[in-house]
Amino acid sequence: MRPRVPDRAWVTVVAAALLIGAFLGLRVVAVGGPGSFVAAGEQYVDPSRAPEELVVLPGTGYDGQFVYRMVLEPLPHRQTGHGITFDVPAYRAQRIATPGLAWAVVRLTPFEAATSLLLVNVLALLVAAWAAGRLVRRFGGHALFGVVPVLSFAMVIPLARDLTEPVAWAATLVGVELWLAGRRPWAAGLFTLAVLARETSILVPAGLGVWAVVEAIRARRVWLPALWLLLPLAVEVAWQWHLGAVWGELPVRTGKENVGTPFLGVARSLVDLDGARSHPVWEAERLAVLGLLVWSGVRLWRSALPAGLRVAWGLAALLALSLGGWTYDAQFLRAVNEAVGLSLLALVVDRALLSRLVVSGAGLLSLYVGWQYTTVV
């Protein structure tokens, strides 16, 4: 019989709601309404043809403009539509979950696309806070600390710029909670949603699946529930194939953040071989991520996390350390989101003094990055 987990996750949700509300209030005052969160740029958005709610600035803009385009048209077949042009159509079209949910909100409520997209991400983070609170309680910590892996410095930018990470992380955390509670089909469904929001979310069910296979081999039996973890993989493969047929190339081959030799790209960024130290905050973020990964790796063998999540952490950390480089924060922090989130989830329930200091430092950095992004468009 599984131990009962006291449901005090409301504490996490309330804390997350207060922090999110403060952040959004400051950002709306500084940059304007939801149409500014999209970060649309004239290179890819034609102001004369785009929806009036969008605030279009000079320059290239950022990825939220492509997510916004998919809210208007979740299954695009043209590179340009609604005045917005995809830079890499197959790559942009693969992350359908977040814009798909916002598209549904547009049709069920009086909200326009930009407001719906922001609403979906806020609700996703509140759901993530509930799941994180449950998980932290399950692993022996106080539910309030679940706020740290949900509103980390890696999640501030996606909230500020209408990106896809909040839905992916929320679905991942809920999927983990359901998996540990023995609700395999529901967990598989949430993992599938996570993968359709952000393809790198596959690392978590992959880690759980690898350990399930190890356990099955040790026990010399077939562990049928683990087969549910093949669902997100099968759906992602089918989705990649479909988009390849539509756009003429597989999305997995078009990503801008190339993965190379482990540690090489990170080392180049840290020793400034690419001239990346143009902003002291970015350097602090790089060092924080590296320190977080190193210390969580040291403490992992004594972690309260189940073995499957430890394997998932290993896969996420390997991906983070194999990136082409840690340069512009909006780029590399999103790319290491799973590694940062799992590291913080492990450390918030670790009673070692240094772990508590690392978590406190991560929390302070998250508040600082949040303050910075109240004004960054």
Side-chain angles (χ1 to χ4, degrees):
M1 184 176 180
R2 296 181 183 86
R4 183 176 179 273
V5 179
D7 190 1
R8 299 178 184 175
W10 63 268
V11 176
T12 324
V13 176
V14 170
L18 292 174
L19 290 170
I20 292 171
F23 173 75
L24 292 181
L26 292 171
R27 183 163 174 78
V28 167
V29 170
V31 305
S36 298
F37 283 55
V38 174
E42 289 182 345
Q43 180 173 337
Y44 297 107
V45 181
D46 183 349
S48 65
R49 298 171 57 198
E52 293 184 2
E53 66 171 337
L54 278 190
V55 176
V56 184
L57 300 175
T60 60
Y62 198 61
D63 294 2
Q65 61 196 335
F66 306 121
V67 180
Y68 178 89
R69 158 78 190 279
M70 289 186 62
V71 177
L72 304 175
E73 187 182 2
L75 297 171
H77 291 80
R78 301 167 297 165
Q79 187 163 1
T80 300
H82 306 278
I84 303 172
T85 300
F86 287 128
D87 54 351
V88 187
Y91 180 78
R92 301 302 179 186
Q94 69 180 326
R95 298 179 178 179
I96 190 176
T98 299
L101 291 172
W103 174 86
V105 172
V106 169
R107 275 144 187 79
L108 296 173
T109 70
F111 298 131
E112 294 185 335
T115 302
S116 297
L117 189 53
L118 182 59
L119 179 62
V120 164
N121 277 344
V122 169
L123 291 177
L125 288 177
L126 294 179
V127 171
W130 172 84
R134 293 276 298 178
L135 287 170
V136 170
R137 286 291 296 165
R138 182 182 291 277
F139 301 148
H142 193 288
L144 183 60
F145 292 113
V147 173
V148 179
V150 170
L151 299 181
S152 71
F153 50 86
M155 194 57 70
V156 171
I157 299 168
L159 177 60
R161 293 189 170 183
D162 285 345
L163 304 173
T164 61
E165 283 78 8
V167 169
W169 190 228
T172 296
L173 290 176
V174 175
V176 170
E177 168 61 20
L178 292 173
W179 181 262
L180 296 179
R183 300 178 181 180
R184 314 300 186 193
W186 287 102
L190 267 297
F191 288 141
T192 301
L193 177 65
V195 170
L196 291 176
R198 179 178 171 81
E199 62 283 354
T200 54
S201 299
I202 195 69
L203 297 173
V204 174
L208 294 173
V210 167
W211 187 252
V213 171
V214 171
E215 285 189 324
I217 293 174
R218 285 179 174 178
R220 297 183 179 179
R221 59 185 172 86
V222 177
W223 201 49
L224 293 178
L227 296 177
W228 282 108
L229 294 173
L230 294 177
L231 178 63
L233 176 61
V235 170
E236 176 63 13
V237 169
W239 183 235
Q240 290 275 327
W241 178 86
H242 167 73
L243 292 175
V246 171
W247 298 105
E249 58 182 349
L250 292 174
V252 72
R253 295 183 176 178
T254 59
K256 291 183 176 181
E257 188 62 59
N258 294 326
V259 176
T261 304
F263 309 108
L264 181 59
V266 176
R268 289 179 62 86
S269 299
L270 291 173
V271 300
D272 199 25
L273 293 180
D274 298 320
R277 294 189 182 184
S278 56
H279 198 301
V281 175
W282 299 356
E283 183 66 16
E285 290 165 342
R286 286 196 287 270
L287 293 174
V289 170
L290 184 61
L292 182 63
L293 292 179
V294 170
W295 182 243
S296 58
V298 169
R299 296 295 298 174
L300 199 64
W301 68 281
R302 298 189 64 180
S303 172
L305 265 62
L309 281 184
R310 298 183 203 179
V311 176
W313 177 90
L315 295 175
L318 180 62
L319 176 63
L321 295 171
S322 301
L323 297 174
W326 291 0
T327 52
Y328 177 39
D329 65 345
Q331 182 181 50
F332 88 86
L333 282 183
R334 295 174 59 207
V336 302
N337 177 64
E338 291 85 7
V340 168
L342 290 175
S343 295
L344 289 172
L345 188 60
L347 293 181
V348 294
V349 294
D350 187 1
R351 299 183 183 279
L353 176 59
L354 186 52
S355 294
R356 294 181 178 182
L357 292 175
V358 169
V359 170
S360 298
L364 291 174
L365 181 59
S366 300
L367 291 174
Y368 180 74
V369 173
W371 174 255
Q372 291 290 309
Y373 270 85
T374 57
T375 57
V376 175
V377 179

PDB file of all heavy atoms in Angstrom, residues 1 28 42 53 75 81 93 114 156 172 194 204 207 217 249 257 299 309-310 318 323 358 370:
ATOM      1  N   MET A   1       0.845  -1.198   0.000  1.00  0.00           N
ATOM      2  CA  MET A   1       0.000   0.000   0.000  1.00  0.00           C
ATOM      3  C   MET A   1       0.880   1.246   0.000  1.00  0.00           C
ATOM      4  O   MET A   1       1.810   1.378   0.787  1.00  0.00           O
ATOM      5  CB  MET A   1      -0.906   0.011   1.233  1.00  0.00           C
ATOM      6  CG  MET A   1      -1.891   1.174   1.246  1.00  0.00           C
ATOM      7  SD  MET A   1      -3.017   1.066   2.670  1.00  0.00           S
ATOM      8  CE  MET A   1      -3.994   2.531   2.384  1.00  0.00           C
ATOM      9  N   VAL A  28       3.382  44.588 -16.725  1.00  0.00           N
ATOM     10  CA  VAL A  28       2.335  45.267 -17.489  1.00  0.00           C
ATOM     11  C   VAL A  28       2.501  46.781 -17.399  1.00  0.00           C
ATOM     12  O   VAL A  28       2.360  47.498 -18.396  1.00  0.00           O
ATOM     13  CB  VAL A  28       0.941  44.833 -16.996  1.00  0.00           C
ATOM     14  CG1 VAL A  28      -0.136  45.759 -17.552  1.00  0.00           C
ATOM     15  CG2 VAL A  28       0.649  43.395 -17.416  1.00  0.00           C
ATOM     16  N   GLU A  42       9.833  43.522 -36.289  1.00  0.00           N
ATOM     17  CA  GLU A  42       9.469  43.839 -37.673  1.00  0.00           C
ATOM     18  C   GLU A  42      10.075  42.889 -38.700  1.00  0.00           C
ATOM     19  O   GLU A  42       9.579  42.783 -39.816  1.00  0.00           O
ATOM     20  CB  GLU A  42       9.890  45.269 -38.001  1.00  0.00           C
ATOM     21  CG  GLU A  42       9.039  46.320 -37.299  1.00  0.00           C
ATOM     22  CD  GLU A  42       9.454  47.732 -37.675  1.00  0.00           C
ATOM     23  OE1 GLU A  42      10.567  47.898 -38.244  1.00  0.00           O
ATOM     24  OE2 GLU A  42       8.666  48.660 -37.408  1.00  0.00           O
ATOM     25  N   GLU A  53      -3.662  44.033 -31.712  1.00  0.00           N
ATOM     26  CA  GLU A  53      -3.238  43.931 -30.318  1.00  0.00           C
ATOM     27  C   GLU A  53      -1.732  43.787 -30.158  1.00  0.00           C
ATOM     28  O   GLU A  53      -1.187  44.046 -29.087  1.00  0.00           O
ATOM     29  CB  GLU A  53      -3.924  42.747 -29.640  1.00  0.00           C
ATOM     30  CG  GLU A  53      -3.519  41.393 -30.183  1.00  0.00           C
ATOM     31  CD  GLU A  53      -4.056  40.230 -29.353  1.00  0.00           C
ATOM     32  OE1 GLU A  53      -4.353  40.441 -28.155  1.00  0.00           O
ATOM     33  OE2 GLU A  53      -4.171  39.125 -29.896  1.00  0.00           O
ATOM     34  N   LEU A  75      -2.407  24.685 -36.786  1.00  0.00           N
ATOM     35  CA  LEU A  75      -1.877  23.727 -37.756  1.00  0.00           C
ATOM     36  C   LEU A  75      -1.529  24.458 -39.054  1.00  0.00           C
ATOM     37  O   LEU A  75      -2.200  24.306 -40.070  1.00  0.00           O
ATOM     38  CB  LEU A  75      -2.895  22.609 -38.024  1.00  0.00           C
ATOM     39  CG  LEU A  75      -3.258  21.734 -36.827  1.00  0.00           C
ATOM     40  CD1 LEU A  75      -4.414  20.812 -37.165  1.00  0.00           C
ATOM     41  CD2 LEU A  75      -2.044  20.934 -36.359  1.00  0.00           C
ATOM     42  N   GLY A  81       1.551  33.900 -42.483  1.00  0.00           N
ATOM     43  CA  GLY A  81       0.119  33.983 -42.263  1.00  0.00           C
ATOM     44  C   GLY A  81      -0.179  34.972 -41.161  1.00  0.00           C
ATOM     45  O   GLY A  81       0.601  35.109 -40.214  1.00  0.00           O
ATOM     46  N   ALA A  93       6.494  24.841 -35.640  1.00  0.00           N
ATOM     47  CA  ALA A  93       5.199  24.180 -35.645  1.00  0.00           C
ATOM     48  C   ALA A  93       5.139  22.968 -34.720  1.00  0.00           C
ATOM     49  O   ALA A  93       4.052  22.501 -34.390  1.00  0.00           O
ATOM     50  CB  ALA A  93       4.836  23.758 -37.066  1.00  0.00           C
ATOM     51  N   ALA A 114      -3.362  37.159 -27.493  1.00  0.00           N
ATOM     52  CA  ALA A 114      -2.245  37.472 -26.588  1.00  0.00           C
ATOM     53  C   ALA A 114      -2.643  37.259 -25.129  1.00  0.00           C
ATOM     54  O   ALA A 114      -1.878  36.697 -24.341  1.00  0.00           O
ATOM     55  CB  ALA A 114      -1.783  38.906 -26.815  1.00  0.00           C
ATOM     56  N   VAL A 156      11.374  32.346 -15.579  1.00  0.00           N
ATOM     57  CA  VAL A 156      10.935  33.743 -15.626  1.00  0.00           C
ATOM     58  C   VAL A 156      10.784  34.218 -17.069  1.00  0.00           C
ATOM     59  O   VAL A 156       9.779  34.836 -17.444  1.00  0.00           O
ATOM     60  CB  VAL A 156      11.939  34.646 -14.877  1.00  0.00           C
ATOM     61  CG1 VAL A 156      11.614  36.110 -15.120  1.00  0.00           C
ATOM     62  CG2 VAL A 156      11.918  34.333 -13.394  1.00  0.00           C
ATOM     63  N   THR A 172       4.826  17.974 -17.122  1.00  0.00           N
ATOM     64  CA  THR A 172       5.852  17.040 -16.651  1.00  0.00           C
ATOM     65  C   THR A 172       5.707  16.764 -15.158  1.00  0.00           C
ATOM     66  O   THR A 172       5.723  15.604 -14.720  1.00  0.00           O
ATOM     67  CB  THR A 172       7.252  17.600 -16.944  1.00  0.00           C
ATOM     68  OG1 THR A 172       7.429  17.705 -18.355  1.00  0.00           O
ATOM     69  CG2 THR A 172       8.338  16.694 -16.369  1.00  0.00           C
ATOM     70  N   ALA A 194       3.304  17.214 -22.392  1.00  0.00           N
ATOM     71  CA  ALA A 194       4.570  17.913 -22.153  1.00  0.00           C
ATOM     72  C   ALA A 194       5.472  17.866 -23.374  1.00  0.00           C
ATOM     73  O   ALA A 194       6.081  18.872 -23.764  1.00  0.00           O
ATOM     74  CB  ALA A 194       5.284  17.310 -20.944  1.00  0.00           C
ATOM     75  N   VAL A 204      12.237  13.190 -19.192  1.00  0.00           N
ATOM     76  CA  VAL A 204      11.718  12.717 -17.910  1.00  0.00           C
ATOM     77  C   VAL A 204      11.051  11.346 -18.045  1.00  0.00           C
ATOM     78  O   VAL A 204      11.419  10.409 -17.319  1.00  0.00           O
ATOM     79  CB  VAL A 204      10.770  13.750 -17.273  1.00  0.00           C
ATOM     80  CG1 VAL A 204      10.115  13.186 -16.018  1.00  0.00           C
ATOM     81  CG2 VAL A 204      11.546  15.026 -16.934  1.00  0.00           C
ATOM     82  N   GLY A 207      13.777   8.787 -18.586  1.00  0.00           N
ATOM     83  CA  GLY A 207      14.481   8.376 -17.376  1.00  0.00           C
ATOM     84  C   GLY A 207      13.674   7.389 -16.559  1.00  0.00           C
ATOM     85  O   GLY A 207      14.204   6.387 -16.064  1.00  0.00           O
ATOM     86  N   ILE A 217      14.395  -6.157 -15.424  1.00  0.00           N
ATOM     87  CA  ILE A 217      15.483  -7.117 -15.639  1.00  0.00           C
ATOM     88  C   ILE A 217      15.936  -7.725 -14.317  1.00  0.00           C
ATOM     89  O   ILE A 217      16.168  -8.938 -14.219  1.00  0.00           O
ATOM     90  CB  ILE A 217      16.662  -6.424 -16.360  1.00  0.00           C
ATOM     91  CG1 ILE A 217      16.251  -6.035 -17.775  1.00  0.00           C
ATOM     92  CG2 ILE A 217      17.884  -7.335 -16.381  1.00  0.00           C
ATOM     93  CD1 ILE A 217      17.292  -5.213 -18.506  1.00  0.00           C
ATOM     94  N   GLU A 249      10.989  18.850 -44.040  1.00  0.00           N
ATOM     95  CA  GLU A 249      12.140  18.571 -43.185  1.00  0.00           C
ATOM     96  C   GLU A 249      11.658  18.236 -41.786  1.00  0.00           C
ATOM     97  O   GLU A 249      10.627  18.741 -41.329  1.00  0.00           O
ATOM     98  CB  GLU A 249      13.109  19.761 -43.142  1.00  0.00           C
ATOM     99  CG  GLU A 249      12.491  21.051 -42.659  1.00  0.00           C
ATOM    100  CD  GLU A 249      13.457  22.209 -42.687  1.00  0.00           C
ATOM    101  OE1 GLU A 249      14.660  21.970 -42.890  1.00  0.00           O
ATOM    102  OE2 GLU A 249      13.016  23.361 -42.514  1.00  0.00           O
ATOM    103  N   GLU A 257      19.726  25.523 -31.391  1.00  0.00           N
ATOM    104  CA  GLU A 257      20.699  25.277 -30.318  1.00  0.00           C
ATOM    105  C   GLU A 257      21.323  23.905 -30.535  1.00  0.00           C
ATOM    106  O   GLU A 257      20.815  22.883 -30.080  1.00  0.00           O
ATOM    107  CB  GLU A 257      20.003  25.343 -28.957  1.00  0.00           C
ATOM    108  CG  GLU A 257      20.963  25.286 -27.795  1.00  0.00           C
ATOM    109  CD  GLU A 257      21.934  26.430 -27.761  1.00  0.00           C
ATOM    110  OE1 GLU A 257      21.492  27.579 -27.704  1.00  0.00           O
ATOM    111  OE2 GLU A 257      23.133  26.176 -27.789  1.00  0.00           O
ATOM    112  N   ARG A 299      25.101  15.405  -4.777  1.00  0.00           N
ATOM    113  CA  ARG A 299      24.144  14.988  -3.755  1.00  0.00           C
ATOM    114  C   ARG A 299      23.117  13.983  -4.265  1.00  0.00           C
ATOM    115  O   ARG A 299      22.323  13.472  -3.472  1.00  0.00           O
ATOM    116  CB  ARG A 299      23.396  16.222  -3.217  1.00  0.00           C
ATOM    117  CG  ARG A 299      24.285  17.213  -2.510  1.00  0.00           C
ATOM    118  CD  ARG A 299      24.881  16.631  -1.251  1.00  0.00           C
ATOM    119  NE  ARG A 299      23.849  16.268  -0.272  1.00  0.00           N
ATOM    120  CZ  ARG A 299      24.097  15.639   0.873  1.00  0.00           C
ATOM    121  NH1 ARG A 299      25.341  15.278   1.168  1.00  0.00           N
ATOM    122  NH2 ARG A 299      23.120  15.341   1.711  1.00  0.00           N
ATOM    123  N   LEU A 309      13.707   9.240 -11.517  1.00  0.00           N
ATOM    124  CA  LEU A 309      13.920  10.684 -11.662  1.00  0.00           C
ATOM    125  C   LEU A 309      15.404  11.028 -11.622  1.00  0.00           C
ATOM    126  O   LEU A 309      15.838  12.009 -12.235  1.00  0.00           O
ATOM    127  CB  LEU A 309      13.175  11.441 -10.566  1.00  0.00           C
ATOM    128  CG  LEU A 309      11.672  11.642 -10.771  1.00  0.00           C
ATOM    129  CD1 LEU A 309      11.095  12.497  -9.650  1.00  0.00           C
ATOM    130  CD2 LEU A 309      11.390  12.280 -12.129  1.00  0.00           C
ATOM    131  N   ARG A 310      16.179  10.236 -10.922  1.00  0.00           N
ATOM    132  CA  ARG A 310      17.628  10.470 -10.935  1.00  0.00           C
ATOM    133  C   ARG A 310      18.199  10.197 -12.328  1.00  0.00           C
ATOM    134  O   ARG A 310      19.078  10.918 -12.803  1.00  0.00           O
ATOM    135  CB  ARG A 310      18.314   9.570  -9.912  1.00  0.00           C
ATOM    136  CG  ARG A 310      17.893   9.827  -8.476  1.00  0.00           C
ATOM    137  CD  ARG A 310      18.670   8.936  -7.525  1.00  0.00           C
ATOM    138  NE  ARG A 310      17.967   8.756  -6.259  1.00  0.00           N
ATOM    139  CZ  ARG A 310      18.417   8.007  -5.274  1.00  0.00           C
ATOM    140  NH1 ARG A 310      19.559   7.351  -5.408  1.00  0.00           N
ATOM    141  NH2 ARG A 310      17.719   7.885  -4.159  1.00  0.00           N
ATOM    142  N   LEU A 318      23.095  15.924 -18.968  1.00  0.00           N
ATOM    143  CA  LEU A 318      23.950  15.645 -20.119  1.00  0.00           C
ATOM    144  C   LEU A 318      23.579  16.527 -21.298  1.00  0.00           C
ATOM    145  O   LEU A 318      24.458  17.072 -21.994  1.00  0.00           O
ATOM    146  CB  LEU A 318      23.833  14.172 -20.505  1.00  0.00           C
ATOM    147  CG  LEU A 318      24.671  13.721 -21.717  1.00  0.00           C
ATOM    148  CD1 LEU A 318      26.160  13.921 -21.435  1.00  0.00           C
ATOM    149  CD2 LEU A 318      24.378  12.266 -22.052  1.00  0.00           C
ATOM    150  N   LEU A 323      25.206  21.423 -24.913  1.00  0.00           N
ATOM    151  CA  LEU A 323      24.739  22.488 -25.794  1.00  0.00           C
ATOM    152  C   LEU A 323      25.918  23.168 -26.475  1.00  0.00           C
ATOM    153  O   LEU A 323      27.038  23.155 -25.986  1.00  0.00           O
ATOM    154  CB  LEU A 323      23.924  23.510 -24.994  1.00  0.00           C
ATOM    155  CG  LEU A 323      22.639  22.977 -24.347  1.00  0.00           C
ATOM    156  CD1 LEU A 323      22.012  24.056 -23.480  1.00  0.00           C
ATOM    157  CD2 LEU A 323      21.656  22.517 -25.416  1.00  0.00           C
ATOM    158  N   VAL A 358      22.509  26.649  -1.609  1.00  0.00           N
ATOM    159  CA  VAL A 358      22.363  26.670  -3.074  1.00  0.00           C
ATOM    160  C   VAL A 358      20.929  26.988  -3.463  1.00  0.00           C
ATOM    161  O   VAL A 358      20.675  27.802  -4.358  1.00  0.00           O
ATOM    162  CB  VAL A 358      22.803  25.312  -3.670  1.00  0.00           C
ATOM    163  CG1 VAL A 358      22.406  25.223  -5.141  1.00  0.00           C
ATOM    164  CG2 VAL A 358      24.310  25.135  -3.528  1.00  0.00           C
ATOM    165  N   GLY A 370      13.660  37.922 -12.266  1.00  0.00           N
ATOM    166  CA  GLY A 370      12.290  38.376 -12.398  1.00  0.00           C
ATOM    167  C   GLY A 370      12.185  39.887 -12.390  1.00  0.00           C
ATOM    168  O   GLY A 370      11.456  40.483 -13.189  1.00  0.00           O
TER     169      GLY A 370
END
